[in-house]
Every structure is written in structure tokens, then in C-alpha cells.
């Protein structure tokens, strides 16, 4: 269940109430999010769309604990993250969030295996336990045979799949994707989206995704538009999809 | 350590740069070691001097002699254990540039006063028996390839002139690494016999051993009082003081060395700091990803410091190896100019500590800026 | 052995210097010879100013130490070489390596003073000074501990023999009295040697009646007095002196004088020009300072080259795309290499100039040390000359070439397509 009017109740995994975000740019104060509400249940796949500068990435950053709102609250799996200290937020991120950015995801000097292992190094797992998790994650994305390759030896689509493996390896509460297919060609983009759909369908992951590409957005179960600082439901009707396409 | 692979992978990112930075550390350490060695040579590794030994010279001038009878008078002062005397000979062996200290010694009391300069018993007995016998320190013997049994001719224009010939019957070694092994000794009786009448019966300086080092000031004063207002007034000091004052005459070598050392230290800091800063700047987005994943700010600082420290350690150790290789060879070539160049472990350790300090400091600023990096800014799309 | 090693390298050194000089000249002509605009280099340097400053400082530090140490050695040598006049000859006992060890009797001196070639004063008396040389302990102003200061007993007419010595303050001592004249540097470096002061040594009270200026020579670090009195007071055998110095009728008469003295069977002495004698007295310390300074500067140079290499490699790496574009546009490899070398040279030139300027303030600064050979304390000054500074700059440029060569070549030969694609 996905709601944007603040009426979600306590059963939602992610609960956002009255979110405000202002920041300064070049002397001007920009009020990008204005009293935004959101409820997302476990297992949902939501796409956020909106024109450039509408605050989609800002929203994602706030949800992921990478930024702090001016006002309002964000609760994930019962934890209220808006007033957490920086170090607690870091710990929280490690345990609850999997990030997939448009680019710069992988560390070029580490192999695919080592990249996927990165989140696990923060845990108390032993080397063999970590190995088990990494191999499992790489199998899910279909790149188990490439685990000793360096990012420069992988194609763009393969790099993103390794990123996805890293995002899921520590079994986070939800995944945040910011233009995951932004730099990829049609075919690789398709591979990546299929994978994400699988993660939702078969592994019951909760995915929140920002994209400007309507074809990519259409792979999600729910499309929300960011307009005038709040979220508006868009459904899957072709009209709305086309109207919200330019970004 | 589970993070070593990441740190190592980052270091190897740009191999040429890594090698050059390690090289800079190695060179700096080599320089620090060299400076330390030169300092040691000029300070005469002052730890050879003892507080239980006193040196007595002529108050008027160090080159003036004192009568042998002074030694007997000093023996009678309470608290004095043993008294011996030295004359400086200063002759020429083969060529003028072959400089080494030649002394006329008093065999009877030498070993009690300088127990740390050791001669094998059979060689010492041979020395006592042979009036023309001589004993050389191991370093000088090695320098001129002398063997026991060699006949050593030394020319002088003083003491009646001529060529003095000695039989090398012994070689002495110092007990500790810092002891002077360059001296050449021969007998007082030999000397006294050969020199012209007018200058007989005079010694260059007296060295005595006291029973208790705390007594040294009292005894020094007693000696100088004894000969005050006589034609040959004395000046008595502990050996440590004497050596320290001697060294001060070489001008502010200490200051010069510290200045050069500081210039090098700061330059190294600057160069390495800059390299680390460039390296961190190149990786802003990667560091942002680390933070996004959940690595704490402190962790990022740790990463950067670990890298700079690793470079410093590797470079430092390479530098130490270089120093161990090059400096002894240098010392051999410089023996005519500066005989006491010796690489001590202390010098190497100080150098390494300095390198580590630079490693930490050079990584600090870049590390702090990396720590404060905001993920949202670093990953902002173009 | 150290000096053999040293001289062996001289010929090779000249060849290497020539080659470097040629290379530097070609590179400095880059604005004329090359087609890459020089403004590109200057703007790039400005854009990466932190790295550039680091390289500059590295080179400046090295050049500074290099010039400082060599000027120390030069200063020491200059002091001793300036000691003495080519118009004077020094006579010492045969086989003595220094005055301190010499001994000439009064009788010998009487024989010597009749030899041809010696200048005479208005009354016809020979211009000859018979010197008694010793060292006495006087406290250093800087540390308060004693230094062995050279005290020279001279003949009353010494100022006519050593004509480069002038009384700057006060007056000359009177013969037969315990009066002293003190060299300029001695008065500055040692405590209690001011005009009018009285010092005690050798059981006597001596008054400082004058301060003399010996033109920056080692005599400036000495104390002079009447030789007969000094001899008595130091309890030396009477009528024996350490050396005799004569003023020649003209510098070219040296050989005449020397031949006459050496061939006389009554005399057993060595004769040398006063300047040559003192120059020789400086060899050990000069060599020591030069060699030690050379070693330090060499090691630092390696460090500076590494620093320069680092900077230049970073420069090449950061400007990879620009370089590839330039080459794609048609600038040849040779031009690109020249351009980078020029940049490296500009950086090292600046570093060299800064290094030289920084140590320039040392020029004339006095310090003192003990001369091993004469066993006495000598004050001397850092002596920075134009040619030394030129060597410093040259040294900086050499480091620039060495630091810029490999990166410049790298810029010129890495495959264009690869570089463009990477970005």
C-alpha cells in the first residue's frame, strides 16, 4: 500500500509526515519540499518522477538518511531517523538502506567481490560468513562468474548489477535507487530493471526509485509525481506517464 | 585486518606516484641519518666521556706542558684512585694527510684509568717488554692495514726531529661501540730517553680516575689549588665537561644540523601532504559511496591516515636500509677528514619516528577534509 | 683518499655540466622553438598552484642548503687565503706542517735577515717579524666556554711587514709591555677583549690597547703582543720563535729570497709565500665542509627531484585530456615534450631564485670554528658570490630537467585515443 495523504496508519514500513526541506542556493532560499507525506508498505516498488529541480533526489537523500529535513518526520521500521545523531544515522544506514546511484558506485581498485563485500566489513561476520553472503548476492544478479573482475573489465550494465548485489548483500530494509539506468543503453537498462523487478517479486524487497525515464518508471508498481513540494499519485495511465515524462 | 586489502588497493592505484612518495621518505630518512651521524662525529659521541675521570691541563695554554712531578703530587690527594699522563706526539706517517692521534703513554697506569680500551694480555706484556713497542687502536690499524709485527716509522720535526720507529706489538679494541679506536700509543720511557734535555720531564696532560664521581668537584679544586701561584698552574675538569667544551669550539654545528634537518622535515611534509591531498581529491565520489553505505566519518579519516602512515613506514624502512648500506661506505671514504662517523641504532630509530610523524601529519588535513565530505554534495549529478 | 675520489670526478663532471647546459638552453628557448603557446604553461601552473608551490619550495630548500654550505666552505677558505700578502714570505723550520710546531732560533733569524730580497725601512732595518705562536683559553661570547684563541707575539714593526693590517681603534702596543692589540673578529667573538679591558693570562695582566682590522683574514681572530714578552710568559725556551715573516722588496723577488735561504747550510728552514702557507692551513676544514655540504646537497637534490617528478606526473595526469586534444589537433610529440620541460624549468627556476634569495641574508654572517690544522679558533663569514649563486640556479635547472623529463616524455607518447576514451 502506498499513500501520499498522511493517512497510512502505523502498519507502513516507511512513514513520512509533513516533510519540509529548504536550502540556500546562490543567496536564494529554495523551499523544495513542502509538507510532504508518504506511506510505503513492505514489498512495494515505487517510482518517483518529476521535472528537473523538483526535489526527487532531495527526497531520496532524506529517506536514506543522507540529509536532514528542515521540518517533519521520517520513520522507517519504527525508527524515527530525523533526529538521530550523525553517527547513529551512519549505523542506521549500514543496516537498513541499500543504495544504487546513477554512477560512481563501484570502487575501481576493488574487484566485484570486494565491492560487494564492502557493507559486510562493517559487521561482525567472519570471513567465511561474508563469502557466503557475497556469493549469494552475486548469484542473484547473475554475475557469480565475474566476481574477480575489476569494474573496468565489466560493461555498464554489469557494473550496475554488481552495485545491486552490493545493495542487497546485507539484507537491508529497503533499496533506494537514483536513476539506476541513467547512463545505460536500452538493453542493459532492461536487464537492470528486470533484476530489480525480480528482487521485489521473488525476494520481497521494498524499492524506492527516482527516474526521469517513463519506460523505466512503468516497471514499478506505483508512480508518484513530485509537484510543488508534495507527492501526487500518478498511477499507470499513459496520459499521466507522458505528462510527467519530461524532466 | 579486514581493511588491509582496501588500503593496499588504494595505495597501488597510481604506482609511479606511490614509488616516488616512498622514495621521498627514503631519501629524507637517509638525510636524517647522515645528519645524525655527522652530529655524532662532531659531538665526539660525548657519551664516551666519563664523570669519574678528570683531565688536568696547563691553565695558561692547552699546548703548554706540565712537569711530571705534578702527577706525583696529585696521587697524594685523597679520593684519587689512579693517575696517568699523556703527551701528544703529532708526527707524520708517510703523508701529511694520514692524520691519527699519537700519544706517549704511561703503561703502568693506563689500563686502570681507561679500562674500556682493551688490549689482549699477551700483547700488553709484549708492549711492556719492548721499549720501542707501540699499540694501535683497531680502526687505525685497519685503515693502514697494519699487522702485529710491523715496523711503523713516524717522522716529526719536534722533539729533536728525525724518524721514530716503533714495533707494533698490540692492537686495542674499545668495549663499547662509541669508544675511540683510533689512537696510537707508545712508551713514555722511550720518549723521555730520546728527547733533548731541555724538554725532558714534562707531560702534556694528566688524566686521573677518582673513587667516587661525586668527589670530582672537590678533587678538581684541590688539584688547582695545589698548583695555584706556581709557574705551572693547572686547570682541572671532569672528562665529560672537557669534551663538551671542546665540542663547543666547533661552532654551532648543532644549530646548523637542526636547521637543515628542519628544512628537510618541512619540505617532506609539504610534498607528502600535497600528494595525499591530490590522492584524496581524486577519490571524492568513492569516499562518498563509502559514507553512503554506512562507513562513519571517523572511518574515512582512518583510511586516509592508514594510507599515509603505510607510505611513511615503507619509505622509512627503505631509508633505514639505504642508510645502513651507504653510510658505512661513506664513513670509510671520509676517514681522513672525520674519523668518527658511526651509524647508531638510535639515529635510525629517531629517523623512523620522524618519518611516522610526517606520515600522520601529512594525512591529517586531507583526512579531515575527507571526513567532513557531505555525500549529497559529492554525488551531485553534473 | 677522499681528495683522490674527488678529483677523479672532475672531468666527467665537466662533460655532464656541458650536456645539461645545452639541454637547458634549448628548453629555455621553447617559446621560440616550440609551437605550444607559453601562456598555456603559465595558466596551467596558476591553476594548479598548490602542487606547484610544493615543488618550488622543495627545490628552493635544496638550492638554499647547497648555496649555504658552499658559501660556508668558501668563506672559511677566503678567510685563510686572504691571510697574508703575496709580497711576504714565511719562514719556518724545515718539515713543520704548521707554525705551531715550528722553531727557529734567533741566530738563524739574524742570518736570514741579511738575505737578498728583503725590503728595508727608512733606517735600513729589515722588515721582518719574528713570531711566537700559541693558544690561550678565552671564553666564547656565545657559549661562555673556552675557545683556544691564537695569540701571536710579533716584532714591534709588524705593521710594516703585514701592511694589510691597520689599527682600527686605539693604538699599537708598546714594545716591552704587557699590552695587546686584538683582531676585529676576536674582539667580537670572545669575551673580555674590548678596548681598554684587562685580561689575565700566563700569570700576567694584559691591557687591550687597540683593535686591528686585518681585512677579513684569519689574523682578525688573533691576539697580538710583543713576542719577547710572550715567549717568557709562555715559558718557552728563550730566543726561539715559531716563524719569521719578511716583506719582500717585490713579490717577484720571492724566488731570489727563497734560493738564498734554502741554499745556506747554516739554515734548516722552509720558505713559502705567506698566502700559500695560510691557504694550505685551510685545506682540511674547507674540504670537510665542502664534502659534507656536498653530500647533504646531493641527497636533498634526489629528494627535490622526486618531489618535482611527483608534481610533473600529477600535472600530466590531471591534464591528460588537454594533452590528448592538443596532440589530436596536430601538435607533435616533440612540441608537447618541449612544452612540459619548459614548464618544469620555469618551476625550478623560480625555486632556485627563491632559494638563493633566502640564503642571501647569510652573506657576511660570521661564525667561528676550530681549525684542526692550527688548533686554534677562527672566525669566518659566509661568502656568497655571484658565481656561487649562478651554480645554485644551474643546479635548480638541472633538477627541473631531471624532474620534468620522464613526465614530459610520458605526455608525448601515451596513445591519444586511449586517453580521450578514458575521460
Amino acid at each position: 500500500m502506498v499513500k501520499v495523504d498522511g493517512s497510512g496508519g502505523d502498519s507502513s514500513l516507511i512513514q513520512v509526515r509533513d516533510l519540509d526541506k529548504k536550502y540556500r542556493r546562490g543567496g536564494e532560499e529554495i523551499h523544495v519540499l513542502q509538507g510532504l507525506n508518504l506511506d510505503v508498505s513492505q514489498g512495494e516498488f515505487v517510482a518517483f518522477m518529476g521535472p528537473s529541480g523538483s526535489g526527487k533526489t532531495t527526497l531520496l537523500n532524506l529517506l536514506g538518511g543522507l540529509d536532514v529535513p528542515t521540518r517533519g518526520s521520517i520513520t522507517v521500521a519504527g525508527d524515527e531517523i530525523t533526529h538521530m545523531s550523525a553517527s547513529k544515522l551512519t549505523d542506521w544506514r549500514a543496516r537498513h538502506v541499500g543504495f544504487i546511484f546513477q554512477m560512481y558506485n563501484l570502487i575501481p581498485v576493488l574487484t566485484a567481490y570486494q565491492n560487494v563485500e564492502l557493507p559486510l566489513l562493517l559487521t561482525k561476520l567472519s570471513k567465511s560468513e561474508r563469502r557466503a553472503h557475497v556469493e549469494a548476492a552475486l548469484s542473484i544478479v547473475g554475475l557469480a562468474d565475474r566476481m574477480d573482475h575489476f569494474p573496468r573489465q565489466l560493461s555498464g550494465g554489469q557494473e550496475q548489477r554488481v552495485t545491486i548485489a552490493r545493495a542487497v548483500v546485507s539484507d537491508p530494509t529497503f533499496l533506494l535507487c537514483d536513476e539506476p539506468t541513467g547512463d545505460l543503453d536500452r538493453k542493459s537498462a532492461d536487464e537492470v530493471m528486470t533484476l530489480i523487478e525480480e528482487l521485489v517479486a521473488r525476494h520481497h524487497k521494498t524499492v524506492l526509485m527516482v527516474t526521469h525515464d517513463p519506460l523505466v518508471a512503468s516497471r514499478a508498481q506505483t508512480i508518484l509525481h513530485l509537484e510543488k513540494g508534495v507527492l501526487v499519485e500518478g498511477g499507470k495511465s499513459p496520459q499521466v506517464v507522458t505528462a510527467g515524462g519530461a524532466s | 585486518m579486514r581493511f588491509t586489502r582496501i588500503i593496499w588497493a588504494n595505495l597501488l592505484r597510481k604506482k609511479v606516484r606511490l614509488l616516488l612518495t616512498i622514495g621521498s621518505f627514503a631519501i629524507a630518512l637517509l638525510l636524517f641519518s647522515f645528519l645524525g651521524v655527522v652530529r655524532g662525529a662532531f659531538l665526539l659521541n660525548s657519551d664516551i666521556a666519563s664523570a669519574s675521570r678528570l683531565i688536568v691541563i696547563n691553565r695558561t695554554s692547552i699546548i703548554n706542558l706540565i712537569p711530571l712531578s705534578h702527577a706525583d703530587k696529585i696521587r697524594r690527594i685523597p679520593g684519587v684512585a689512579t693517575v696517568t699522563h699523556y703527551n701528544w706526539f703529532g708526527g707524520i706517517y708517510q703523508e701529511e694527510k694520514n692524520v691519527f692521534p699519537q700519544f706517549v703513554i704511561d703503561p703502568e697506569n693506563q689500563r686502570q684509568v681507561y679500562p674500556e680500551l682493551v688490549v689482549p694480555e699477551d700483547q700488553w706484556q709484549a708492549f711492556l717488554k719492548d721499549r720501542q713497542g707501540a699499540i694501535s687502536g683497531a680502526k687505525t690499524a685497519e685503515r693502514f692495514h697494519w699487522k702485529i709485527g710491523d715496523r711503523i716509522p713516524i717522522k716529526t720535526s719536534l722533539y729533536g726531529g728525525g724518524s721514530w720507529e716503533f714495533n707494533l706489538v698490540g692492537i686495542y679494541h674499545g668495549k663499547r661501540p662509541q669508544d675511540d679506536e683510533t689512537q696510537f700509543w707508545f712508551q713514555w720511557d722511550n720518549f723521555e730517553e730520546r728527547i733533548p734535555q731541555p724538554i725532558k720531564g714534562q707531560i702534556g696532560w694528566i688524566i686521573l680516575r677518582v673513587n667516587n664521581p661525586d668527589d670530582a668537584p672537590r678533587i678538581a679544586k684541590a688539584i688547582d689549588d695545589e698548583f695555584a701561584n706556581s709557574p705551572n698552574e693547572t686547570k682541572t675538569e671532569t672528562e665529560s665537561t672537557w669534551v663538551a667544551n671542546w665540542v663547543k669550539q666547533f661552532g654551532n654545528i648543532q644549530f646548523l644540523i637542526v636547521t637543515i634537518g628542519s628544512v628537510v622535515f618541512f619540505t617532506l611534509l609539504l610534498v607528502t601532504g600535497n600528494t595525499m591531498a591530490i590522492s584524496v581529491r581524486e577519490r571524492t565520489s568513492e569516499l562518498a559511496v563509502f559514507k553512503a553505505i554506512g562507513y562513519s566519518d571517523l572511518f574515512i579519516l582512518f583510511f586516509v591516515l592508514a594510507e599515509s602512515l603505510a607510505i611513511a613506514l615503507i619509505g622509512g624502512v627503505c631509508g633505514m636500509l639505504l642508510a645502513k648500506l651507504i653510510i658505512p661506505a661513506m664513513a670509510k671514504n671520509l676517514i681522513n677528514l672525520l674519523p668518527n662517523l658511526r651509524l647508531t641504532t638510535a639515529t635510525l630509530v629517531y629517523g623512523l619516528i620522524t618519518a611516522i610523524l610526517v606520515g600522520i601529519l601529512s594525512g591529517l588535513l586531507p583526512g579531515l577534509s575527507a571526513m567532513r565530505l557531505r555525500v549529497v554534495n559529492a554525488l551531485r549529478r553534473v | 683518499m677522499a681528495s683522490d675520489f674527488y678529483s677523479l670526478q672532475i672531468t666527467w663532471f665537466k662533460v655532464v655540466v656541458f650536456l645539461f647546459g645545452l639541454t637547458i638552453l634549448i628548453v629555455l628557448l621553447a617559446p621560440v622553438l616550440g609551437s605550444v603557446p607559453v601562456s598555456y604553461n603559465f595558466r596551467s601552473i596558476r591553476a594548479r598552484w598548490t602542487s606547484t608551490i610544493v615543488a618550488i619550495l622543495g627545490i628552493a630548500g635544496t638550492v638554499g642548503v647547497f648555496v649555504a654550505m658552499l658559501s660556508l666552505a668558501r668563506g672559511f677558505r677566503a678567510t685563510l687565503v686572504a691571510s697574508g700578502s703575496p709580497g711576504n714570505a714565511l719562514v719556518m723550520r724545515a718539515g713543520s706542517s704548521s707554525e705551531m710546531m715550528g722553531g727557529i732560533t734567533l741566530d738563524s733569524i739574524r742570518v736570514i735577515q741579511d738575505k737578498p730580497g728583503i725590503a728595508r725601512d727608512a733606517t735600513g732595518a729589515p722588515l721582518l717579524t719574528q713570531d711566537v705562536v700559541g693558544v690561550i683559553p678565552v671564553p666564547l661570547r656565545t657559549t661562555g666556554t673556552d675557545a683556544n684563541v691564537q695569540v701571536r707575539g710579533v716584532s714591534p714593526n709588524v705593521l710594516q711587514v703585514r701592511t694589510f693590517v691597520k689599527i682600527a681603534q686605539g693604538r699599537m702596543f708598546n714594545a716591552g709591555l704587557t699590552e695587546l692589540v686584538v683582531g676585529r673578529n676576536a674582539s667580537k667573538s670572545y669575551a673580555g677583549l674590548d678596548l681598554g679591558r684587562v685580561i689575565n693570562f700566563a700569570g700576567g695582566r694584559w691591557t687591550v690597547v687597540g683593535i686591528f682590522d686585518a681585512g677579513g683574514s684569519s689574523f682578525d681572530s688573533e691576539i697580538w703582543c710583543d713576542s719577547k714578552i710572550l715567549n717568557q710568559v709562555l715559558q718557552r725556551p728563550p730566543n726561539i720563535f715559531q716563524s719569521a715573516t719578511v716583506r719582500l722588496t717585490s713579490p717577484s723577488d720571492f724566488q731570489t729570497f727563497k734560493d738564498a735561504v734554502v741554499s745556506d747550510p747554516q739554515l734548516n728552514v722552509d720558505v713559502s709565500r705567506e698566502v700559500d702557507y695560510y691557504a694550505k692551513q685551510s685545506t682540511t676544514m674547507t674540504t670537510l665542509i665542502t664534502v659534507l655540504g656536498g653530500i647533504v646537497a646531493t641527497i636533498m637534490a634526489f629528494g627535490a627531484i622526486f618531489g618535482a617528478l611527483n608534481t610533473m606526473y600529477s600535472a600530466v595526469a590531471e591534464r591528460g585530456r588537454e594533452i590528448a586534444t592538443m596532440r589530436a589537433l596536430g601538435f607533435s610529440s616533440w612540441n608537447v615534450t618541449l612544452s612540459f620541460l619548459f614548464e618544469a624549468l620555469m618551476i625550478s627556476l623560480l625555486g632556485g631564485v627563491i632559494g638563493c634569495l633566502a640564503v642571501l641574508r647569510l652573506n657576511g654572517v660570521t661564525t667561528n670554528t676550530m681549525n684542526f690544522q692550527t688548533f686554534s679558533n677562527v672566525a669566518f663569514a659566509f661568502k656568497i658570490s655571484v658565481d656561487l649563486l649562478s651554480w645554485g640556479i644551474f643546479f635548480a635547472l638541472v633538477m627541473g630537467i631531471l624532474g620534468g623529463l620522464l613526465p614530459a616524455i610520458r605526455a608525448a607518447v601515451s596513445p591519444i585515443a586511449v586517453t580521450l576514451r578514458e575521460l
Side-chain angles (χ1 to χ4, degrees), chain B residues 60-61 158 231 235 245-246 249, chain C residues 101 135 137 145-146 148 235:
Chain B
T60 304
S61 170
L158 306 164
K235 182 151 172 255
N245 289 349
W246 177 263
Q249 293 189 59
Chain C
M101 310 225 270
V135 287
T145 55
D146 287 341
N148 288 322
Q235 296 178 349

Side-chain angles (χ1 to χ4, degrees), chain A residues 62-135:
Chain A
L62 288 166
L63 290 173
L66 291 176
D67 201 355
V68 181
T70 318
R71 221 186 45 167
S73 74
I74 303 175
T75 312
V76 176
D79 295 321
E80 222 270 270
I81 68 168
T82 32
H83 293 107
M84 274 188 187
S85 67
S87 53
K88 282 197 94 183
L89 210 48
T90 309
D91 279 338
W92 175 84
R93 265 203 314 276
R95 262 178 301 129
H96 292 276
V97 191
F99 284 99
I100 299 165
F101 302 114
Q102 180 179 0
M103 48 185 184
Y104 305 131
N105 283 295
L106 299 182
I107 313 291
V109 295
L110 301 177
T111 60
Y113 179 97
Q114 290 166 333
N115 267 292
V116 175
E117 197 190 18
L118 271 182
L120 297 180
L121 292 175
L122 291 169
T123 65
K124 292 190 172 50
L125 295 174
S126 73
K127 191 159 173 173
S128 46
E129 285 170 327
R130 296 200 300 269
R131 174 162 279 270
H133 279 88
V134 171
E135 285 177 355

Side-chain angles (χ1 to χ4, degrees), chain A residues 2-4 14 16 36-40 45-51 54-57 59-60 63 174-179 207-213 217 220 222-226 230-232 244 247:
Chain A
V2 177
K3 288 241 191 266
V4 297
I14 300 170
V16 180
L36 186 145
N37 293 307
L38 178 65
D39 286 86
V40 178
F45 183 179
V46 185
F48 298 106
M49 293 189 70
S54 54
K56 318 188 287 294
T57 303
L59 175 61
L60 218 67
L63 290 173
F174 63 112
L175 301 180
L176 291 177
C177 316
D178 195 352
E179 300 282 6
V207 177
L208 303 180
M209 177 177 73
V210 160
T211 182
H212 70 277
D213 186 341
T222 313
I223 301 178
L224 298 176
H225 292 270
L226 196 47
V230 290
L231 287 169
V232 173
S247 167

Side-chain angles (χ1 to χ4, degrees), chain C residues 192-337:
Chain C
L193 295 179
D194 306 302
L195 194 57
R197 293 278 288 267
V198 175
I199 67 168
N200 289 324
F201 73 87
R205 293 170 60 79
W206 300 72
T207 316
V208 179
V209 301
I211 308 227
F212 65 82
D213 180 326
S217 64
S218 60
F219 295 117
D220 273 320
S221 305
E222 292 184 355
I223 299 176
W224 287 4
C225 59
D226 183 317
S227 55
K228 295 213 175 65
I229 305 226
L230 189 64
N231 221 9
Q232 286 168 18
V233 150
L234 288 182
Q235 296 178 349
R236 303 277 180 85
N239 294 330
I240 296 191
F241 305 88
Q242 266 67 60
S243 69
T245 303
V246 306
R247 181 147 191 81
L248 300 165
T249 38
S250 98
S252 45
D253 289 331
F254 172 74
Q255 204 54 45
T256 321
F257 173 69
K258 178 172 178 165
D259 291 340
V261 168
V262 166
S263 59
D264 189 329
Q266 288 180 293
L267 301 170
N268 184 27
V269 294
D270 286 336
V271 181
S272 50
R273 281 194 200 272
E274 192 181 27
V275 280
D276 292 338
Y277 168 73
Y278 286 105
K280 197 155 155 267
Q281 298 306 302
S282 76
T283 38
T284 310
M285 279 308 278
T286 310
T287 313
L288 181 66
I289 300 176
T290 310
V291 168
L292 287 183
I295 292 178
V296 170
T298 308
I299 300 179
M300 285 189 80
F302 275 104
I305 291 174
F306 275 34
L309 272 170
N310 232 344
T311 302
M312 292 312 295
Y313 266 121
S314 300
V316 169
E318 279 188 29
R319 283 140 67 177
R321 194 195 294 180
E322 294 165 35
I323 299 167
T325 310
M326 282 201 298
R327 287 175 56 212
L329 285 177
F331 286 101
S332 67
S333 301
W334 153 249
N335 272 309
V336 172
T337 310

